[in-house]
Amino acid sequence: VQEALTNAARYAGATRVAVVVGRRDGDAVAVVEDDGAGFDPDAVPKAAIPGRRGGLGLVGMRERVDLLGGTLEVEAAPGAGTTVIARIPVGGP
């Protein structure tokens, strides 16, 4: 959540950001949605590339969620804002 908020403030030029955190089907779920510039998620590497800094915020988010056995989904398009959804299993009902 912190990294998604940093990206919205630092890079997206967002004027509005919404954060929703909850629990669903045994997962902790965090959704961060902004109305910023958006981007092409396919143009961002899925893993760190040695010597390249671009996209490290998303790469770091993916790595942290992966370490917890979760998933990260990024919905974005140029000019259409960004939504980041993290799902992390926490067990229980």
Side-chain angles (χ1 to χ4, degrees):
V1 171
Q2 178 183 349
E3 187 67 35
L5 291 171
T6 297
N7 288 349
R10 189 175 290 165
Y11 305 113
T15 58
R16 297 182 65 140
V17 179
V19 177
V20 177
V21 178
R23 188 171 171 161
R24 182 170 186 174
D25 300 327
D27 290 342
V29 180
V31 179
V32 180
E33 184 174 49
D34 71 55
D35 67 351
F39 64 98
D40 178 2
D42 293 330
V44 177
K46 301 294 186 221
I49 298 172
R52 182 172 172 196
R53 292 187 48 91
L56 285 181
L58 285 175
V59 170
M61 283 191 269
R62 269 189 222 294
E63 289 175 349
R64 284 175 262 174
V65 170
D66 284 346
L67 285 171
L68 296 169
T71 60
L72 185 77
E73 181 180 346
V74 178
E75 300 171 356
T82 302
T83 302
V84 176
I85 304 165
R87 292 179 181 87
I88 298 170
V90 293

